[in-house]
């Protein structure tokens, strides 16, 4: 049976060249459908909940998604070049054990996303079947998502491609019809009542949502051949994330403007029913598979983070059994969180996205600066798997230090429901922490990276290639022969 038709056997191990296949164009439907779902739509309603007009939300969404997707896309281009999961590669900046700090943040964010995804998915079933069995629906949704996550990389790509056509046939038609036949209330196409606070909260939510894929986006491009054009990998990923995210968020802002104070599902159902009576139920049913597969995408990625955390302190064999166990643990955590969840969905989700943005920005800054400006894509693959005495160290003080500097630098500028920094207060609750964190972490890492002995690292990579047949990776995609 071909490898692409079987259950995936790999997890955090390097993907050999003879197992690399596929085209970068497959990244578009994967990331389009990962964003073209009801959770994304709910993200587009955040600004409206704070009084923003449709036009204000639209501008904030497009700009936020455009900015956040930049970082995600540049991370995706790393996958074909390195053949490694994103967090394994991050050992080069944060150290063999130091990367656990980042992995913990990512697992927390992924489980959080899945809790919200499962709440929406269960609400879809409840609303369309008129049953009150939410806990049962949580179990069913988790089971389906877990099964696909266990089958792994190639099957996830396939399902997202198939669902893209279903989405276009349902939400594509709905979007066009809503724009043509559902007139917005007066003032929604202007900037009446504009406030920077509402605009920037929506901007940050859109940016955080698009950026949220960055810590594991290359997990889904690592099987592509190393000769894959980094530019093509980048742009197909960018197009998929941006189009899917911006489309659904703008649609969320639209239905929020049409039906003020309605929940995401009620707004979509009511808007569709205004177009064709009874169509709202079928539209929600058509959205359910997309919610389940995005839970799958998250379970699969978080399982790799969990294995990375364990391996950082006790070496493990990356077997299929271990991946199944780790997928089950992540799925169970999301299930438990969904069952125990309480409170207003949209308010909690908006706050979660803002905190996620603060935690991920310094990491993405350090990782991208290292890959594109410091080491320029040159890594000694074998050394990434050396726990002590390797060229990347056990605790990467440069990466961890730059990450901490970025977090600290953002504190005076943050705006959350729990705390607002003094500078943000002075600016009228304007949140510019994203830009402060990016700049502070990048500058700090560039300065500290000046003490790296890059020549010795390149020599080590070349020696590994000669002695062990492991590829010496470069940004151009040139590789040495694989071990036979």
């Amino acid at each position: 049976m071909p490898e692409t038709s079987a259950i995936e056997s790999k997890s955090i191990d390097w993907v050999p060249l003879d197992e690399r296949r596929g085209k970068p164009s497959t990244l578009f439907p994967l990331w389009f459908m990962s964003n073209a779902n009801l959770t994304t739509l709910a993200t587009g309603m955040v600004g409206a909940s704070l009084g923003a007009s449709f036009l204000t939300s639209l501008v904030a969404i497009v700009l936020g998604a455009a900015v956040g997707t930049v970082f995600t896309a540049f991370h995706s281009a790393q996958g074909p070049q390195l053949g490694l999961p994103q967090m394994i590669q991050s050992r080069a900046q944060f150290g063999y054990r130091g990367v656990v700090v980042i992995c913990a943040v990512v697992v927390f964010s992924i489980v959080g996303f899945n809790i919200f995804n499962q709440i929406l998915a269960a609400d879809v079933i409840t609303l369309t079947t008129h049953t009150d069995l939410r806990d049962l629906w949580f179990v069913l949704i988790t089971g389906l998502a877990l099964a696909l996550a266990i089958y792994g990389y190639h099957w996830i790509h396939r399902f997202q491609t198939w669902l893209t056509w279903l989405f276009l046939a349902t939400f594509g038609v709905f979007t066009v019809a809503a724009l043509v036949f559902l007139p917005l209330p007066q003032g929604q196409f202007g900037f009446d009542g504009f406030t920077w606070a509402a605009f920037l909260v929506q901007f940050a939510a859109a940016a955080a949502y698009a950026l949220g894929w960055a810590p594991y986006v290359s997990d889904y491009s690592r099987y592509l051949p190393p000769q894959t054009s980094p530019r093509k990998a980048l742009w197909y990923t960018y197009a998929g994330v941006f189009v899917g995210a911006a489309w659904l968020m703008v649609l969320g802002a639209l239905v929020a403007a049409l039906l003020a104070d309605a929940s995401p599902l009620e707004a979509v159902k009511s808007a569709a029913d205004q177009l064709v009576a009874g169509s709202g139920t079928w539209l929600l049913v058509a959205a359910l598979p997309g919610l389940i597969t995005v839970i799958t995408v998250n379970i699969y990625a978080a399982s790799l983070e969990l294995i990375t955390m364990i391996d950082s302190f006790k070496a493990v064999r990356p077997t299929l059994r271990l991946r199944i166990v780790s997928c089950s643990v992540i799925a169970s955590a999301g299930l438990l969180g969904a069952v125990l969840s309480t409170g207003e969905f949209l308010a909690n989700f908006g706050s979660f996205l803002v905190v996620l943005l603060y935690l991920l920005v310094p990491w993405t800054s350090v990782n991208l600066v290292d890959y594109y400006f410091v080491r320029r894509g040159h890594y000694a693959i074998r050394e990434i798997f050396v726990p002590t005495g390797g060229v990347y160290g056990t605790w990467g003080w440069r990466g961890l230090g730059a990450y901490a500097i970025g977090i600290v630098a953002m504190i005076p500028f943050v705006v959350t429901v729990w705390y607002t920094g003094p500078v943000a207060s002075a600016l009228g609750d304007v949140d510019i922490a994203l830009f402060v964190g990016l700049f502070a972490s990048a500058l700090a890492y560039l300065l500290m990276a000046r003490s790296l002995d890059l020549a010795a690292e390149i020599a080590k990579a070349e020696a590994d290639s000669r002695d062990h047949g492991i590829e010496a990776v470069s940004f151009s995609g040139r590789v040495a022969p694989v071990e036979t």
Side-chain angles (χ1 to χ4, degrees), residues 184-469:
L184 287 172
Q186 187 175 4
Q188 289 295 327
F189 271 111
F191 292 100
D192 296 348
F194 177 88
T195 64
W196 278 108
F199 176 86
L200 288 172
V201 166
Q202 182 64 79
F203 173 90
Y209 198 93
L211 178 62
W213 306 107
Y216 50 102
V217 65
S218 69
D219 297 0
Y220 290 97
S221 61
R222 73 190 197 280
Y223 277 85
L224 293 175
Q227 293 79 16
T228 299
S229 165
R231 184 178 290 107
K232 288 184 179 180
L234 187 157
W235 282 111
Y236 277 116
T237 300
Y238 190 97
V241 174
F242 177 77
V243 174
W247 178 351
L248 266 292
M249 289 184 205
V250 170
L251 184 60
L254 177 68
V255 296
L258 289 168
L259 299 149
D261 300 324
S263 71
L265 300 186
E266 290 170 346
V268 170
K269 185 176 184 300
S270 297
D273 285 340
Q274 288 181 37
L275 294 168
V276 178
S279 64
T281 296
W282 294 108
L283 187 66
L284 292 180
V285 170
L288 187 58
L291 279 173
I292 293 173
T293 56
V294 78
I295 295 171
T296 290
V297 169
N298 289 336
I299 290 173
Y300 176 87
S303 73
L304 302 186
E305 319 297 337
L306 184 58
I307 295 172
T308 300
M309 294 172 69
I310 297 169
D311 184 68
S312 296
F313 290 96
K314 180 178 176 56
V316 297
R317 290 183 62 245
T319 61
L320 172 59
R321 178 180 295 181
L322 178 61
R323 191 170 66 79
I324 291 174
V325 171
S326 63
C327 282
S328 301
V329 169
I330 296 297
S332 299
L335 172 61
L336 181 62
V339 169
L340 298 178
S341 62
T342 58
E344 182 64 29
F345 172 86
L346 204 55
N348 291 338
F349 191 56
S351 300
F352 171 77
L353 287 173
V354 171
V355 173
L356 173 64
L357 181 66
Y358 297 150
L359 293 174
L360 290 183
V361 158
W363 166 79
T364 194
S365 180
V366 169
N367 183 269
L368 291 179
V369 165
D370 181 72
Y371 187 88
Y372 290 100
F373 297 102
V374 176
R375 290 185 168 96
R376 299 180 183 274
H378 294 269
Y379 294 89
I381 297 297
R382 284 179 60 86
E383 293 297 306
I384 288 177
F385 293 92
V386 176
T388 57
V391 298
Y392 300 120
T394 304
W395 298 92
W397 64 268
R398 297 175 185 86
L400 292 170
Y403 181 82
I405 288 170
I407 293 290
V408 172
M410 285 191 292
I411 292 175
F413 299 88
V414 304
V415 178
T416 71
V417 295
W418 308 285
Y419 172 79
T420 299
V423 176
S425 295
L427 295 174
D429 290 346
V430 174
D431 189 346
I432 60 172
L434 160 67
F435 306 102
V436 174
L438 280 171
F439 179 77
S441 291
L443 180 60
Y445 189 76
L446 280 171
L447 291 174
M448 288 187 281
R450 296 175 67 182
S451 62
L452 287 170
D453 188 350
L454 297 179
E457 289 188 22
I458 294 174
K460 182 63 177 175
E462 292 174 348
D464 285 345
S465 176
R466 289 193 306 270
D467 300 339
H468 303 283

Side-chain angles (χ1 to χ4, degrees), residues 20-328:
R20 306 282 193 92
R21 55 181 58 86
K23 299 179 180 179
S25 57
T26 60
L27 296 173
F28 177 85
L30 173 79
W31 293 114
F32 173 78
M33 270 314 301
S34 294
N35 287 274
N37 57 65
L38 293 175
T39 309
T40 315
L41 183 144
T43 307
M45 301 174 72
V46 171
S49 69
L50 298 174
S53 67
F54 171 70
L55 185 58
T56 298
S57 292
L58 185 150
V59 174
I61 287 166
V62 171
L63 291 177
V67 170
T69 307
V70 167
F71 305 103
T72 294
F74 273 96
H75 285 296
S76 182
Q78 298 171 359
Q81 306 303 309
L82 300 179
L84 294 170
Q86 187 72 66
M87 284 300 115
I88 290 292
Q89 187 269 339
S90 289
R91 284 175 171 172
Q93 301 96 48
F94 297 92
Y96 190 89
R97 290 183 176 172
V99 77
V100 169
V101 175
I102 311 302
C103 286
V105 170
V106 175
V107 169
F108 167 79
S109 69
I110 289 175
V111 171
F113 266 116
N114 271 358
I115 290 171
F116 290 114
N117 290 331
Q118 289 188 94
I119 290 172
L120 274 184
D123 285 348
V124 166
I125 302 176
T126 298
L127 190 61
T128 55
T129 62
H130 306 289
T131 58
D132 188 16
L133 301 168
R134 287 181 86 233
D135 289 353
L136 176 62
W137 304 144
F138 286 144
V139 173
L140 176 63
I141 291 161
T142 300
L144 292 172
L146 175 60
L148 181 55
I150 288 171
Y151 269 86
Y153 179 97
H154 299 292
W155 283 101
I156 292 171
H157 273 264
R158 286 191 183 96
F159 268 82
Q160 294 295 70
T161 299
W162 297 336
L163 290 179
T164 295
W165 295 109
L166 173 63
F167 179 87
L168 294 175
T170 53
F171 273 81
V173 173
F174 169 64
T175 301
V176 173
L179 289 171
V180 174
F181 298 110
L182 297 179
L184 287 172
Q186 187 175 4
Q188 289 295 327
F189 271 111
F191 292 100
D192 296 348
F194 177 88
T195 64
W196 278 108
F199 176 86
L200 288 172
V201 166
Q202 182 64 79
F203 173 90
Y209 198 93
L211 178 62
W213 306 107
Y216 50 102
V217 65
S218 69
D219 297 0
Y220 290 97
S221 61
R222 73 190 197 280
Y223 277 85
L224 293 175
Q227 293 79 16
T228 299
S229 165
R231 184 178 290 107
K232 288 184 179 180
L234 187 157
W235 282 111
Y236 277 116
T237 300
Y238 190 97
V241 174
F242 177 77
V243 174
W247 178 351
L248 266 292
M249 289 184 205
V250 170
L251 184 60
L254 177 68
V255 296
L258 289 168
L259 299 149
D261 300 324
S263 71
L265 300 186
E266 290 170 346
V268 170
K269 185 176 184 300
S270 297
D273 285 340
Q274 288 181 37
L275 294 168
V276 178
S279 64
T281 296
W282 294 108
L283 187 66
L284 292 180
V285 170
L288 187 58
L291 279 173
I292 293 173
T293 56
V294 78
I295 295 171
T296 290
V297 169
N298 289 336
I299 290 173
Y300 176 87
S303 73
L304 302 186
E305 319 297 337
L306 184 58
I307 295 172
T308 300
M309 294 172 69
I310 297 169
D311 184 68
S312 296
F313 290 96
K314 180 178 176 56
V316 297
R317 290 183 62 245
T319 61
L320 172 59
R321 178 180 295 181
L322 178 61
R323 191 170 66 79
I324 291 174
V325 171
S326 63
C327 282
S328 301

